[in-house]
Amino acid sequence: TRLCLTFVLPGDDSIELIENGSKVDVTGENAEEFISRVIYHVLYSGVYQQTEAVLRGLGDLIDITRLLMFENREFELLACGPAYEKWTVEFLTQATRCDHGYSHESQSVEFFLRILAEMDQEDQQKFVLFTTGSPALPLGGLRNLHPRLTIVRRTPEAGRSPDECLPTVMTCTTTSTAGLQFV
Protein backbone atom coordinates (compact mmCIF):
# COMPACT_ATOMS: atom_id res chain seq x y z
CA THR A 1 0.00 0.00 0.00
CA ARG A 2 1.43 3.38 -1.04
CA LEU A 3 0.74 6.29 1.34
CA CYS A 4 1.80 9.19 -0.97
CA LEU A 5 4.71 10.03 1.35
CA THR A 6 8.45 9.69 1.03
CA PHE A 7 11.10 9.39 3.73
CA VAL A 8 11.46 13.14 4.24
CA LEU A 9 10.46 15.16 7.29
CA PRO A 10 6.82 16.24 6.87
CA GLY A 11 6.79 19.96 6.21
CA ASP A 12 10.47 20.09 5.17
CA ASP A 13 11.34 18.10 2.07
CA SER A 14 15.01 19.12 2.43
CA ILE A 15 15.46 16.82 5.45
CA GLU A 16 15.73 13.21 4.35
CA LEU A 17 15.12 10.70 7.11
CA ILE A 18 17.16 7.98 5.38
CA GLU A 19 19.71 8.07 2.58
CA ASN A 20 17.91 9.15 -0.62
CA GLY A 21 14.72 9.42 1.44
CA SER A 22 13.04 11.66 -1.13
CA LYS A 23 13.11 8.70 -3.53
CA VAL A 24 11.80 6.07 -1.08
CA ASP A 25 8.02 5.75 -0.81
CA VAL A 26 6.38 5.13 2.53
CA THR A 27 4.28 1.98 2.31
CA GLY A 28 2.26 -0.09 4.71
CA GLU A 29 5.32 -2.29 5.16
CA ASN A 30 7.74 0.52 6.15
CA ALA A 31 5.31 3.03 7.72
CA GLU A 32 6.38 2.12 11.26
CA GLU A 33 10.03 2.86 10.40
CA PHE A 34 8.95 6.20 8.85
CA ILE A 35 7.03 7.16 11.99
CA SER A 36 9.95 6.17 14.22
CA ARG A 37 12.37 8.26 12.17
CA VAL A 38 10.07 11.29 12.21
CA ILE A 39 9.70 11.02 15.99
CA TYR A 40 13.47 10.62 16.42
CA HIS A 41 14.14 13.69 14.30
CA VAL A 42 11.50 15.89 15.91
CA LEU A 43 12.27 14.91 19.50
CA TYR A 44 16.03 14.31 19.34
CA SER A 45 18.27 14.95 16.36
CA GLY A 46 16.30 17.95 15.12
CA VAL A 47 16.73 19.80 18.43
CA TYR A 48 20.05 18.37 19.62
CA GLN A 49 22.15 21.46 18.82
CA GLN A 50 19.65 23.82 20.41
CA THR A 51 19.40 21.64 23.52
CA GLU A 52 23.19 21.51 23.81
CA ALA A 53 23.39 25.31 23.50
CA VAL A 54 20.79 25.79 26.24
CA LEU A 55 22.62 23.35 28.51
CA ARG A 56 25.97 25.09 27.90
CA GLY A 57 24.40 28.47 28.69
CA LEU A 58 22.66 27.14 31.77
CA GLY A 59 25.95 25.51 32.80
CA ASP A 60 27.54 28.96 32.84
CA LEU A 61 25.03 29.93 35.54
CA ILE A 62 24.64 26.81 37.64
CA ASP A 63 25.97 23.29 38.08
CA ILE A 64 23.44 21.56 35.82
CA THR A 65 23.96 18.21 37.53
CA ARG A 66 21.93 19.70 40.39
CA LEU A 67 18.90 19.64 38.09
CA LEU A 68 18.96 15.84 38.32
CA MET A 69 17.37 16.07 41.77
CA PHE A 70 14.13 17.24 40.17
CA GLU A 71 11.52 14.97 38.65
CA ASN A 72 10.35 15.93 35.14
CA ARG A 73 7.14 17.54 36.38
CA GLU A 74 9.04 19.56 39.01
CA PHE A 75 11.55 20.83 36.45
CA GLU A 76 8.73 21.74 34.07
CA LEU A 77 7.05 23.69 36.86
CA LEU A 78 10.30 25.56 37.57
CA ALA A 79 10.97 26.32 33.92
CA CYS A 80 7.46 26.96 32.63
CA GLY A 81 5.31 27.75 35.61
CA PRO A 82 2.00 26.07 36.36
CA ALA A 83 0.06 24.60 33.43
CA TYR A 84 -3.21 25.76 34.98
CA GLU A 85 -4.20 28.80 36.95
CA LYS A 86 -7.62 29.21 38.50
CA TRP A 87 -9.35 32.11 36.81
CA THR A 88 -11.87 34.27 38.62
CA VAL A 89 -13.83 37.15 37.11
CA GLU A 90 -11.75 39.57 39.20
CA PHE A 91 -8.48 38.00 38.00
CA LEU A 92 -9.64 38.03 34.35
CA THR A 93 -10.70 41.67 34.65
CA GLN A 94 -7.19 42.55 35.81
CA ALA A 95 -5.45 40.34 33.23
CA THR A 96 -7.39 41.53 30.15
CA ARG A 97 -8.21 44.84 28.59
CA CYS A 98 -11.19 46.01 26.56
CA ASP A 99 -11.24 48.23 23.49
CA HIS A 100 -13.25 49.21 20.38
CA GLY A 101 -16.57 49.73 22.10
CA TYR A 102 -16.25 47.38 25.07
CA SER A 103 -15.33 47.96 28.69
CA HIS A 104 -15.13 45.52 31.58
CA GLU A 105 -18.57 46.83 32.60
CA SER A 106 -20.13 45.82 29.24
CA GLN A 107 -22.72 43.09 29.78
CA SER A 108 -21.26 40.90 27.00
CA VAL A 109 -17.79 41.12 28.56
CA GLU A 110 -19.14 40.31 32.02
CA PHE A 111 -20.94 37.23 30.63
CA PHE A 112 -17.82 36.19 28.77
CA LEU A 113 -15.53 36.54 31.80
CA ARG A 114 -17.97 34.49 33.89
CA ILE A 115 -17.87 31.71 31.29
CA LEU A 116 -14.05 31.76 31.28
CA ALA A 117 -13.96 31.67 35.09
CA GLU A 118 -16.11 28.52 35.06
CA MET A 119 -13.82 26.62 32.66
CA ASP A 120 -12.05 23.51 33.87
CA GLN A 121 -8.38 22.95 33.05
CA GLU A 122 -9.05 21.18 29.74
CA ASP A 123 -11.39 23.87 28.41
CA GLN A 124 -9.09 26.61 29.64
CA GLN A 125 -6.18 25.07 27.74
CA LYS A 126 -8.34 24.83 24.60
CA PHE A 127 -9.24 28.51 24.96
CA VAL A 128 -5.59 29.46 25.40
CA LEU A 129 -4.66 27.47 22.29
CA PHE A 130 -7.52 29.06 20.32
CA THR A 131 -6.67 32.63 21.30
CA THR A 132 -2.88 32.50 21.33
CA GLY A 133 -1.95 29.68 18.97
CA SER A 134 0.09 28.19 21.83
CA PRO A 135 -0.94 25.30 24.07
CA ALA A 136 0.32 27.09 27.18
CA LEU A 137 0.51 30.56 28.64
CA PRO A 138 3.88 32.22 29.24
CA LEU A 139 5.68 31.91 32.55
CA GLY A 140 3.60 33.95 34.97
CA GLY A 141 0.30 33.03 33.32
CA LEU A 142 -2.34 35.15 31.65
CA ARG A 143 -1.12 38.37 33.28
CA ASN A 144 2.23 37.98 31.51
CA LEU A 145 0.72 37.48 28.06
CA HIS A 146 2.09 40.15 25.71
CA PRO A 147 0.36 41.70 24.03
CA ARG A 148 -2.33 41.56 26.67
CA LEU A 149 -5.50 39.67 25.79
CA THR A 150 -7.82 42.44 24.57
CA ILE A 151 -11.57 42.06 24.13
CA VAL A 152 -13.01 44.18 21.33
CA ARG A 153 -16.45 44.48 19.78
CA ARG A 154 -16.83 42.64 16.51
CA THR A 155 -18.83 44.26 13.76
CA PRO A 156 -20.56 41.56 11.72
CA GLU A 157 -20.47 41.58 7.95
CA ALA A 158 -23.34 43.40 6.21
CA GLY A 159 -26.62 41.51 6.47
CA ARG A 160 -25.47 39.24 9.33
CA SER A 161 -26.24 39.30 13.01
CA PRO A 162 -23.42 38.73 15.54
CA ASP A 163 -24.94 35.30 16.29
CA GLU A 164 -24.37 34.25 12.66
CA CYS A 165 -20.63 34.95 12.81
CA LEU A 166 -18.17 32.27 13.81
CA PRO A 167 -15.49 33.02 16.41
CA THR A 168 -12.24 34.29 14.93
CA VAL A 169 -8.74 34.76 16.24
CA MET A 170 -5.70 36.75 15.22
CA THR A 171 -3.00 34.91 17.15
CA CYS A 172 -0.24 37.23 16.01
CA THR A 173 -1.91 39.89 18.13
CA THR A 174 -3.86 37.58 20.44
CA THR A 175 -7.22 38.50 18.93
CA SER A 176 -10.40 36.46 18.95
CA THR A 177 -13.95 37.25 18.00
CA ALA A 178 -17.24 35.69 18.92
CA GLY A 179 -19.25 38.85 19.04
CA LEU A 180 -16.23 39.54 21.23
CA GLN A 181 -12.74 40.00 19.90
CA PHE A 182 -9.38 39.64 21.60
CA VAL A 183 -6.43 41.71 20.54
Side-chain angles (χ1 to χ4, degrees):
T1 306
R2 189 165 182 271
L3 302 176
C4 299
L5 294 170
T6 58
F7 270 80
V8 296
L9 186 67
D12 190 344
D13 292 345
S14 68
I15 300 175
E16 295 184 322
L17 301 171
I18 61 173
E19 190 174 332
N20 296 315
S22 61
K23 296 178 176 119
V24 178
D25 288 332
V26 178
T27 65
E29 292 77 38
N30 64 13
E32 192 171 320
E33 178 186 2
F34 172 76
I35 292 168
S36 293
R37 289 181 181 270
V38 168
I39 291 170
Y40 178 81
H41 182 81
V42 170
L43 297 180
Y44 178 72
S45 66
V47 295
Y48 180 80
Q49 288 179 334
Q50 296 89 336
T51 303
E52 285 295 311
V54 168
L55 290 174
R56 278 194 306 277
L58 193 55
D60 289 345
L61 301 173
I62 63 170
D63 176 5
I64 59 172
T65 60
R66 295 188 178 242
L67 297 176
L68 296 173
M69 74 171 90
F70 295 105
E71 293 181 12
N72 289 346
R73 62 179 171 73
E74 293 172 322
F75 184 73
E76 182 180 357
L77 182 62
L78 283 172
C80 304
Y84 175 72
E85 59 187 359
K86 181 65 182 146
W87 290 346
T88 63
V89 172
E90 181 181 331
F91 171 82
L92 290 164
T93 300
Q94 294 170 1
T96 61
R97 71 182 202 78
C98 295
D99 204 353
H100 295 118
Y102 273 143
S103 72
H104 282 106
E105 291 76 33
S106 300
Q107 187 178 31
S108 295
V109 172
E110 289 177 356
F111 288 156
F112 181 66
L113 295 182
R114 271 192 245 143
I115 290 168
L116 290 180
E118 293 172 5
M119 287 183 172
D120 61 18
Q121 182 174 355
E122 182 181 351
D123 287 338
Q124 187 186 79
Q125 288 173 329
K126 288 176 184 176
F127 174 78
V128 167
L129 179 60
F130 177 72
T131 56
T132 68
S134 173
L137 289 168
L139 188 60
L142 187 62
R143 286 188 181 148
N144 284 350
L145 187 64
H146 296 288
R148 185 170 285 242
L149 191 66
T150 304
I151 306 165
V152 300
R153 183 181 300 271
R154 177 178 181 186
T155 305
E157 298 87 24
R160 293 188 174 263
S161 76
D163 293 334
E164 295 174 306
C165 299
L166 294 173
T168 60
V169 151
M170 295 187 327
T171 56
C172 59
T173 57
T174 318
T175 302
S176 167
T177 57
L180 302 169
Q181 182 167 336
F182 304 95
V183 180

